[in-house]
């Protein structure tokens, strides 16, 4: 990151750097050019600048001259054997001088080709006219890159100017600072929650992933996926009704149904698709149906209701009085669906599930509950907030798939969830009655006409659900870490949007400042947290959304709090006390705020009887439940055969990026070592 900081210091001097976001510069700087492998994408762009292009040409010439004495084969052949370098071209890489000379020559050649707009070693490109790819906003190119009138006419198609339309729409995003930048972040299985950027040597701490429990690298999940991959291959082979209906898909759906104690479940390629397809189908099939939708519902739910063509009535967020007033305007016999969420992911609020079920029964409505940000994280088995509201009853029932009459989860008609967040996999699902699920299976285009997910993904998701049903420790430790971070932020006057869930949203209140705060944390503190801007949140409520996992240790939490405090001071971002002086925003700094009661009680976390899991310290590995691993393995005996592990445990998961064969061989050893 040090070199990148040096580049960004020249933003004021260079028009291109000045108008380009730091995150874009970072992406260009860390990504290799596909046409010129020895150059970064940023260097390739710089060759088109009349200032930097000349400087790069001059510098590459100097580099070649510096290594010229060893650049030729004759000189290379004179290298003495006592340096253990044999005189052959194949051994050039063993000599630091010769290898650098070759690299310098290669870079100089590619710089020259990039400047001319030619692809390396491509006769067709050499014969073609060089393309003018001037960096946008550079005044030096204002005249040189402007096409003549005849060229402009030749490049503009007759009729509608589609490219200009695209450019105009993108410019709107840039102007209101809502343009989305995607960072190259590669989470490392052996170093969770550490990831590397486009450069594998450039490591950062990830503080915004939705892999809430770190199940994406849980050893029994990886082991199961490898076994399935070796047995059934990669792809599913088709849609569910053609060739993609495997035993792994059916077993996963049975696992999901059991999790929510519902008769049936159906798996989709994502929960966005599950919500969209299910709500669209319900609205199309139920005659005269009316949706009652929380104003803060996820885009997938909104899109599904729109696709249905049914009437949609919006009620204020978590406002039971507003919802009841609107329900009362329609006859009880009119088909109705109340669509809402358990945990709202951008503010951390929790829906009043029990009370909405009461209203639904009173006014003849179905309940559609999205538990996407709650499954795996709440309840004694991880079934979500609906299960958590009757914690002791579900704990006593153990792993019985039968419904518990009168409980909140049993009263909810339709539950949707994801496999791609707390379960660390991919996919989404619905759970409900047999006939409801069968109707969606039979009519929903989003389910019928898409290739089903690979068996290995289904196996990994099922293993993850099974493991979390048996082990409560990850959920408890996550909540303990969340409390720790929120407490540290509160002491530093960092404006956390108050909420009872695991979400830690920090209010920034300005889109450009939110992006700059994200970039500064990454560039100066190696902390990756993505800025959240409109339309995900309302304008003026832009924020950083932190997600803490059980894999984050105390030292990392301490460093994060210090880094955020430093960035707030450096950038002059408003703190809680500042928002309070302005009357508050997004429930931050409000006068007489309502007390926030966490969903997880102290007793449920084990804080009252001394059974709470301990926070990790640097160098400590997460706890892996031996019982949960054993039970999970046994569930796959019918399809994969009994698990046969190594004679002796070898080592934990690798900390570097090894070969595929090394990973495959080490998975069983990792489980054995972790559960020892």
């Amino acid at each position: 990151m040090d070199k990148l900081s040096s580049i960004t210091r020249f933003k004021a001097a260079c028009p291109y750097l000045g108008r380009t976001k730091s995150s874009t510069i970072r992406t260009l700087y860390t990504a290799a050019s596909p046409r010129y492998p020895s150059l970064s994408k940023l260097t390739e762009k710089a060759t088109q600048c009349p200032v930097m292009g000349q400087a790069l040409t001059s510098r590459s010439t100097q580099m070649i001259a510096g290594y010229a004495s060893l650049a030729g084969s004759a000189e290379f052949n004179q290298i003495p054997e006592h340096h253990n370098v044999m005189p052959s071209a194949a051994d050039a890489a063993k000599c630091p001088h010769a290898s650098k000379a070759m690299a310098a020559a290669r870079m100089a050649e590619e710089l020259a080709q990039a400047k001319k707009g030619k692809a390396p070693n491509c006769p067709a490109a050499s014969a073609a006219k060089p393309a003018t790819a001037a960096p946008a906003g550079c005044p030096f190119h204002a005249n040189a890159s402007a096409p003549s009138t005849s060229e402009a006419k030749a490049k503009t198609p007759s009729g509608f100017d589609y490219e200009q339309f695209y450019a105009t729409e993108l410019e709107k995003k840039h102007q209101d600072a809502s343009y989305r930048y995607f960072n190259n972040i590669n989470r490392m299985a052996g170093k969770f929650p550490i990831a590397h950027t486009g450069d594998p040597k450039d490591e950062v701490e990830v503080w915004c992933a939705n892999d809430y429990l770190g199940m994406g690298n849980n050893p029994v999940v990886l082991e199961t996926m490898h076994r399935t991959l070796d047995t059934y291959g990669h792809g599913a082979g088709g849609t569910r009704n053609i060739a993609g209906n495997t035993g792994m898909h059916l077993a996963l759906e049975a696992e999901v149904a059991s999790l929510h104690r519902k008769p049936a479940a159906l798996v989709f390629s994502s929960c966005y698709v599950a919500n969209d397809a299910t709500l669209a189908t319900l609205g199309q099939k139920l005659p005269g149906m009316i949706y009652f939708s929380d104003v803060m519902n996820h885009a997938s739910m909104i899109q599904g209701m729109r696709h249905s063509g049914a009437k949609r009535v919006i009620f204020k967020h978590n406002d039971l009085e507003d919802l009841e007033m609107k329900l009362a305007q329609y006859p009880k016999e009119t088909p109705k669906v109340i669509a809402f969420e358990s945990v709202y992911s951008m503010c951390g609020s929790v829906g009043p599930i029990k009370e909405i079920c009461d209203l639904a029964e009173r006014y003849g409505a179905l309940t559609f509950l999205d538990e996407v940000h709650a499954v795996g994280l709440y309840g004694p088995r991880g079934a979500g907030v609906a299960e958590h509201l009757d914690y002791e009853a579900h704990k006593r029932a153990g792993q019985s798939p039968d419904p518990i009459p009168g409980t909140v989860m049993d009263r909810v008609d339709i539950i949707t969830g994801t496999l791609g967040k707390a379960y660390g996999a991919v996919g989404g699902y619905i759970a409900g009655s047999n006939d409801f699920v069968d109707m969606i299976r039979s009519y929903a285009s989003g389910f019928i006409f898409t290739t089903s997910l690979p068996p290995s993904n289904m196996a990994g998701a099922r293993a993850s659900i099974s493991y979390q049903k048996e082990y409560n420790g990850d959920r408890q430790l996550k909540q303990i870490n969340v409390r720790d971070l929120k407490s540290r932020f509160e002491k530093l006057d960092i404006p956390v949007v108050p909420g009872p869930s695991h979400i830690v949203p920090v209010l920034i209140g300005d889109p450009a400042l939110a992006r700059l705060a994200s970039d500064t944390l990454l560039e100066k503190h190696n902390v990756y947290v993505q800025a959240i801007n409109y339309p995900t949140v309302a304008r003026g409520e832009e924020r950083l959304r932190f997600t803490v996992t059980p894999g984050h240790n105390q030292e990392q939490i301490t460093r994060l709090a210090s880094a955020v405090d430093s960035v707030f001071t450096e950038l002059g971002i408003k703190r809680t006390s500042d928002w309070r002086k302005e009357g508050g925003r997004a429930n931050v700094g409000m006068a007489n705020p309502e007390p926030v009661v966490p969903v997880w009680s102290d007793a449920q976390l084990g804080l009252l009887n001394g059974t709470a899991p301990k926070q990790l310290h640097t160098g400590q590995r997460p706890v892996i439940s031996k019982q949960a691993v054993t039970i999970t393995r046994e569930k796959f005996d019918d399809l994969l055969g009994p698990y046969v592990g190594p004679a002796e445990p070898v080592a934990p998961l690798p900390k570097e990026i090894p070969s595929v064969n090394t990973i495959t061989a080490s998975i069983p050893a990792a489980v054995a070592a972790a559960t020892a």
Side-chain angles (χ1 to χ4, degrees):
M1 288 298 171
D2 293 337
K3 291 183 179 179
L4 182 58
S5 299
S6 299
I7 293 173
T8 55
R9 287 207 306 268
F10 294 98
K11 275 178 162 287
C14 173
Y16 175 72
L17 294 177
R19 80 184 296 270
T20 304
K21 298 288 186 181
S22 297
S23 55
T24 302
I25 296 173
R26 176 172 60 250
T27 301
L28 294 171
Y29 173 74
T30 57
S33 165
R35 300 177 68 197
Y36 314 104
S38 70
L39 310 181
S40 69
K41 289 184 177 180
L42 185 61
T43 303
E44 181 184 2
K45 275 186 172 289
T47 61
Q48 300 302 311
C49 173
V51 177
M52 283 304 299
Q54 294 293 336
L56 288 168
T57 300
S58 174
R59 177 57 181 152
S60 64
T61 303
Q62 294 171 1
M63 289 170 62
I64 292 175
Y67 295 110
S69 63
L70 286 173
S73 59
E75 289 82 3
F76 179 70
N77 287 333
Q78 296 175 6
I79 297 175
E81 291 185 9
H82 66 263
H83 283 291
N84 197 30
V85 179
M86 300 304 295
S88 69
D91 288 314
K94 295 182 180 180
C95 174
H97 299 286
S99 61
K100 287 182 179 179
M102 293 166 66
R106 206 162 38 240
M107 180 179 290
E109 179 184 358
E110 293 190 350
L111 281 169
Q113 291 168 340
K115 188 170 179 60
K116 294 177 181 179
K118 296 179 180 180
N121 301 320
C122 178
S126 300
K129 181 179 179 180
T132 55
C138 180
F140 299 110
H141 279 78
N143 296 323
S145 63
S148 66
T149 304
S150 60
E151 287 177 328
K153 289 181 178 178
K155 291 179 181 178
T156 303
S158 59
F160 192 81
D161 191 338
Y162 298 100
E163 294 299 325
Q164 182 57 49
F165 174 79
Y166 305 149
T168 301
E169 291 301 305
L170 287 172
E171 185 59 26
K172 292 177 184 177
K173 286 287 186 181
H174 286 291
Q175 290 298 326
D176 67 7
S178 66
Y179 184 80
R180 294 175 184 263
Y181 294 90
F182 297 162
N183 289 309
N184 186 345
I185 298 294
N186 307 271
R187 299 186 308 130
M188 304 167 70
K191 290 188 175 182
F192 181 84
I194 301 298
H196 69 73
T197 64
D199 178 1
K201 297 180 181 179
D202 184 18
E203 296 184 355
V204 298
E205 290 180 6
V206 179
W207 286 96
C208 60
N210 285 336
D211 185 1
Y212 290 129
L213 299 175
M215 291 302 292
N217 63 50
N218 179 280
V220 75
V221 171
L222 299 184
E223 166 198 294
T224 303
M225 293 183 73
H226 278 283
R227 294 177 67 202
T228 306
L229 194 63
D230 291 340
T231 304
Y232 295 110
H234 181 208
T239 61
R240 289 288 293 271
N241 70 311
I242 295 180
N245 191 47
T246 74
M248 290 298 180
H249 291 76
L250 299 174
L252 173 59
E253 288 169 345
E255 192 78 54
V256 169
S258 171
L259 172 69
H260 293 289
R261 305 193 202 274
K262 296 291 185 186
L266 191 67
V267 171
F268 291 76
S269 56
S270 72
C271 199
Y272 187 105
V273 176
N275 284 345
D276 183 4
T278 302
L279 290 168
T281 303
L282 274 176
Q284 291 163 4
K285 290 298 176 183
L286 287 170
M289 219 272 288
I290 301 173
Y291 278 116
F292 294 82
S293 174
D294 190 291
V295 69
M296 291 187 66
N297 275 341
H298 189 263
S300 61
M301 300 168 72
I302 296 170
Q303 197 74 341
M305 288 182 271
R306 285 175 176 167
H307 285 161
S308 75
K311 183 174 181 178
R312 186 163 56 104
V313 177
I314 312 299
F315 64 91
K316 297 175 184 177
H317 180 53
N318 282 352
D319 192 323
L320 295 169
E321 289 185 8
D322 188 48
L323 173 59
E324 181 169 19
M325 179 188 70
K326 290 171 177 174
L327 284 167
Q329 296 175 14
Y330 299 90
K332 187 171 184 179
E333 59 270 18
T334 299
K336 311 175 194 71
V337 172
I338 305 173
F340 63 110
E341 301 180 37
S342 57
V343 175
Y344 291 84
S345 64
M346 290 302 140
C347 62
S349 61
V350 174
I353 305 173
K354 177 182 179 298
E355 293 76 7
I356 288 179
C357 287
D358 293 340
L359 291 178
E361 292 171 5
R362 188 177 310 158
Y363 291 97
L366 292 174
T367 47
F368 180 101
L369 176 62
D370 178 309
E371 289 258 34
V372 162
H373 289 272
V375 288
L377 302 177
Y378 297 89
R381 303 179 309 133
V385 176
E387 180 188 52
H388 201 101
L389 294 174
D390 298 290
Y391 192 95
E392 292 302 324
H394 284 286
K395 184 177 179 181
R396 287 192 299 271
Q399 301 304 339
S400 169
D402 299 328
I404 305 176
T407 60
V408 174
M409 190 163 71
D410 183 50
R411 295 173 67 194
V412 176
D413 298 295
I414 303 164
I415 294 176
T416 71
T418 184
L419 305 169
K421 292 183 170 57
Y423 293 127
V426 64
Y429 62 82
I430 59 171
S433 70
N434 280 313
D435 285 344
F436 159 72
V437 169
D438 199 16
M439 188 191 80
I440 299 301
R441 183 189 69 85
S442 301
Y443 285 97
S445 296
F447 173 80
I448 297 170
F449 298 107
T450 189
T451 300
S452 62
L453 291 168
S456 57
N457 292 101
M458 299 296 89
R462 183 189 177 200
S464 184
I465 294 172
S466 171
Y467 180 91
Q468 284 300 327
K469 282 167 70 175
E470 300 292 340
Y471 181 57
N472 209 21
D474 287 340
R475 282 184 286 283
Q476 292 173 314
L477 182 53
K478 176 181 175 61
Q479 296 293 335
I480 290 170
N481 282 348
V482 167
R483 289 189 180 191
D484 186 5
L485 182 60
K486 285 184 175 180
S487 174
R488 291 174 188 271
F489 278 164
E490 182 179 359
K491 291 176 182 177
L492 294 169
D493 204 22
I494 301 298
V496 176
V497 178
S501 70
H502 61 282
I503 307 296
V504 187
V506 171
L507 180 65
I508 305 296
D510 177 86
L513 203 54
R515 169 53 52 193
L516 183 57
S518 172
D519 289 341
T520 305
L521 282 167
L522 185 61
E523 292 167 11
K524 294 189 175 182
H525 302 279
N526 287 341
V527 166
Y528 174 57
V529 58
Q530 185 63 279
I532 308 297
N533 292 340
Y534 177 85
T536 307
V537 295
R539 297 187 192 277
E541 296 186 4
E542 294 81 8
R543 62 198 62 184
L544 301 178
R545 177 183 175 274
F546 294 89
T547 55
V548 194
T549 74
H552 285 98
N553 59 50
Q554 280 190 304
E555 290 75 20
Q556 289 171 328
I557 294 173
T558 300
R559 287 198 302 271
L560 173 67
S562 176
V564 172
D565 181 50
S566 173
V567 170
F568 263 66
T569 299
E570 178 183 344
L571 301 182
I573 301 174
K574 294 177 184 176
R575 297 177 183 259
T576 304
S577 54
D578 299 315
W579 290 113
R580 187 175 295 114
K581 294 174 184 176
E582 296 183 9
R585 183 180 298 179
N587 291 327
V588 171
M590 306 296 288
N592 304 316
E594 294 184 4
V596 175
V597 179
V599 176
W600 280 85
S601 68
D602 289 352
Q604 291 165 351
L605 291 177
L607 295 173
L608 302 183
N609 59 9
T611 61
K614 304 297 183 183
Q615 288 182 282
L616 299 177
H617 289 280
T618 302
Q620 291 182 327
R621 295 180 305 179
V623 173
I624 301 296
S625 167
K626 186 174 182 179
Q627 177 181 347
V629 168
T630 300
I631 292 173
T632 298
R633 283 174 172 165
E634 290 174 350
K635 289 184 177 181
F636 291 88
D637 284 353
D638 57 339
L639 293 173
L640 302 180
Y643 170 77
V644 179
E648 296 180 5
V650 182
L653 281 166
K655 290 190 176 182
E656 301 300 331
I657 304 177
S659 66
V660 173
N661 290 337
T662 306
I663 293 179
T664 306
S666 66
I667 296 297
V671 178
T675 58

